[in-house]
């Protein structure tokens, strides 16, 4: 069946939202060009797959989602930091 694939798919969706959060983070960019509701919407999009999986009772997919989303989030944060600092190196 879809055991496991649903959790990975949800984790990829959350990873896309995390990547967009990293790109449009106002504190890092020091700009005020993004809309204030965008951050809340992306945060909701990041957590929504987990709520749906938990509500549906797909606990194995939920555990896969939470683990994979955490790993993807750390990887995206590290890559975003490296990407931003490449222009500032001497």
């Amino acid at each position: 069946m879809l055991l496991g694939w649903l959790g990975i798919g949800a984790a990829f969706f959350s990873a896309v939202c995390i990547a967009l959060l990293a790109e449009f983070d106002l504190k890092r960019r020091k700009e005020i060009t993004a809309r204030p509701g965008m951050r809340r919407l992306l945060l909701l999009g990041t957590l929504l797959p987990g709520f749906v999986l938990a509500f549906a009772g797909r606990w194995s997919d939920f555990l896969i989602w939470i683990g994979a989303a955490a790993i993807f989030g750390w990887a995206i944060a590290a890559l975003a930091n490296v990407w931003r600092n490449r222009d500032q190196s001497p």
Side-chain angles (χ1 to χ4, degrees):
M1 239 205 213
L2 291 176
L3 189 65
W5 290 105
L6 194 58
I8 291 291
F12 280 130
F13 180 78
S14 294
V16 168
C17 291
I18 291 170
L20 290 172
L21 273 170
E23 178 62 29
F24 296 121
D25 191 10
L26 297 177
K27 291 180 183 176
R28 287 187 182 189
R29 295 178 61 94
K30 307 232 187 293
E31 297 176 8
I32 308 178
T33 58
R35 291 179 275 182
M38 176 74 109
R39 189 174 185 156
R40 287 189 182 109
L41 184 64
L42 288 172
L43 180 64
L44 179 66
T46 301
L47 298 175
L48 187 64
F51 291 137
V52 170
L53 289 172
F55 183 73
R58 302 291 303 247
W59 298 111
S60 60
D61 288 320
F62 177 80
L63 290 174
I64 291 170
W65 167 78
I66 202 164
I71 291 170
F72 290 154
W74 278 104
I76 289 168
L79 290 174
N81 191 25
V82 168
W83 182 260
R84 285 201 173 79
N85 289 335
R86 71 175 165 74
D87 294 331
Q88 298 173 0
S89 62

